[in-house]
Structure formats: structure tokens, C-alpha cells
Amino acid sequence: DGGITQSPKYLFRKEGQNVTLSCEQNLNHDAMYWYRQDPGQGLRLIYYSQIVNDFQKGDIAEGYSVSREKKESFPLTVTSAQKNPTAFYLCASSMASGGSYNEQFFGPGTRLTVL
Amino acid sequence: AQKITQTQPGMFVQEKEAVTLDCTYDTSDQSYGLFWYKQPSSGEMIFLIYQGSYDEQNATEGRYSLNFQKARKSANLVISASQLGDSAMYFCAMREHTDSSYKLIFGSGTRLLVRP
């Protein structure tokens, strides 16, 4: 089945540690995105990539890093510089060309807790 | 300035009744798209419906319809014949065409609870 997978579903991290969240898609989408969601709030864009080997900062990129070495994969690293990393992280993908109707498809999310 | 505003943090609706979830947006772009997503307690985001700024008719998708009032910059979601499974968070989102990206800007969401 085509879709987006994120792993792990739950992740616990000690303060001061870097951690990498996985995101893989087999939809042949060019564009991929990372969002952060805090309790009771909407989604905020961390990073996005429209093509392999290129990515752009979103609204809250500080303390995060990404790579896009393959079309299918867009891992997110939460670094120790991120002051409050406990949140729900959602990965999404979409076609990057065509008209305005390019819905984003979302993965199941990773819930990160810093102990 | 906030681009997407959802003024209802929570809503109740009786099963089988219709409910309207409000969404207003702010943009100076002529070309933009409006989306509604549903987020159940499991966390995944489910796409519901899309409205383009140049679409003359309101979008409909099964029990979902979008009441698009361009002059008022509102894009309210109407759910007809509510079901218990409709209980979830609902997010309105907008994509502008001010650059070449396809970023979405999300509102803060409305939690809908359907009463039996």
C-alpha cells in the first residue's frame, strides 16, 4: 500500500541527547514536510523539502536539522539545542508541481518525550 | 498576523444533526487553496475537502461541504448528519502562492464532540 511511515511511534530521550525521527514515503512525491504539534494546538512547520538534496527552514527550525538524500526519505534530527522538544511530530508529503490542489498526505506521527 | 483563525476551541453536536466549524483566513494573494483536515485521537491527519480560490462552486465531499465566502474570507466546514466517529480535532489550512513552495498554514483547530 502506498503511504507514509514514521518510526518510532513513541520515543523517549534524555536531556542533552540528539534523536532522529524517521519518515519514509512510497507515493513518489517530490515534496516532504515536518510539522510539530503541541497539545491543543495546530501544526507548525519545521522544515520542508521540494526536491532531493534541497530543503528550507520553516517557521520553527531552530534546534532541528534534516537531510534529503533520497526522494523517499526525509529524516528529522532533534538536537540538544532544541529547548522544549517534547511534542508530537508529523511528517507529510505532496506533489510539488501542478495546480494549487496538492493535498498533503500525513504519516501516523511520532510522539517524542524528553525525560 | 494570524493567517488562519478558528474561533471555536470546542463544539458539541447531537448525533445525526449538522454542524458548522468556522474558519477565517487572511491573505493578499489572489490564488490560494483552503483545506480541512480531521485529526482523530490516534493523531493522524486525514484530508477532508479542498476549495480553490477560483472555484465558483462550494466544494462538497460526501457529508462534508465547504461554505466558501470569498469576500468575507471565510471557509467554514459543514458536516451533515453527524456520526459518533466524527468526534475529533478539525483543522483549517491555507496554501498561498506567494512563492514556489506548497507550504500549508494551519489554524489552531476545533475539537468536535458528537453526542449520542
Side-chain angles (χ1 to χ4, degrees), chain A residues 9-109:
Chain A
K9 189 174 178 65
Y10 298 95
L11 188 57
F12 298 90
R13 181 194 106 172
K14 293 182 180 179
E15 276 194 48
Q17 287 182 337
N18 292 356
V19 63
T20 297
L21 280 59
S22 168
C23 177
E24 304 275 334
Q25 55 99 358
N26 61 3
L27 300 168
N28 200 32
H29 286 164
D30 291 305
M32 297 187 74
Y33 313 81
W34 274 106
Y35 293 93
R36 170 183 171 138
Q37 186 179 27
D38 292 286
Q41 297 188 29
L43 279 65
R44 292 184 290 168
L45 184 65
I46 305 172
Y47 268 98
Y48 64 101
S49 167
Q50 295 188 97
I51 196 169
V52 173
N53 292 323
D54 186 50
F55 47 83
Q56 309 293 329
K57 291 182 179 180
D59 300 318
I60 55 166
E62 186 175 349
Y64 300 98
S65 66
V66 293
S67 63
R68 188 86 188 276
E69 297 176 1
K70 298 186 300 181
K71 187 175 184 178
E72 305 79 24
S73 178
F74 191 40
L76 173 74
T77 297
V78 185
T79 74
S80 56
Q82 170 50 234
K83 299 301 180 190
N84 186 19
T86 295
F88 187 53
Y89 292 87
L90 284 157
C91 178
S93 71
S94 72
M95 293 171 62
S97 60
S100 60
Y101 177 51
N102 281 320
E103 83 182 77
Q104 289 187 12
F105 294 81
F106 283 81

Side-chain angles (χ1 to χ4, degrees), chain A residues 33 35 37 41-43 45 48 50 88 90 96-98 100-104 106, chain B residues 35 37 39 42-45 47 50 91 95 97 100-104 106-108:
Chain A
Y33 313 81
Y35 293 93
Q37 186 179 27
Q41 297 188 29
L43 279 65
L45 184 65
Y48 64 101
Q50 295 188 97
F88 187 53
L90 284 157
S97 60
S100 60
Y101 177 51
N102 281 320
E103 83 182 77
Q104 289 187 12
F106 283 81
Chain B
F35 299 75
Y37 282 86
Q39 187 180 41
S42 54
E44 77 270 26
M45 297 285 283
F47 166 73
Y50 167 82
F91 291 96
R95 184 177 60 234
H97 286 190
S100 61
S101 73
Y102 290 83
K103 297 181 292 183
L104 289 181
F106 284 84
S108 57

Side-chain angles (χ1 to χ4, degrees), chain A residues 100, chain B residues 31-35 50-53 93-97 104:
Chain A
S100 60
Chain B
S31 177
Y32 52 90
L34 296 157
F35 299 75
Y50 167 82
Q51 180 84 41
S53 58
M94 177 177 68
R95 184 177 60 234
E96 296 178 302
H97 286 190
L104 289 181

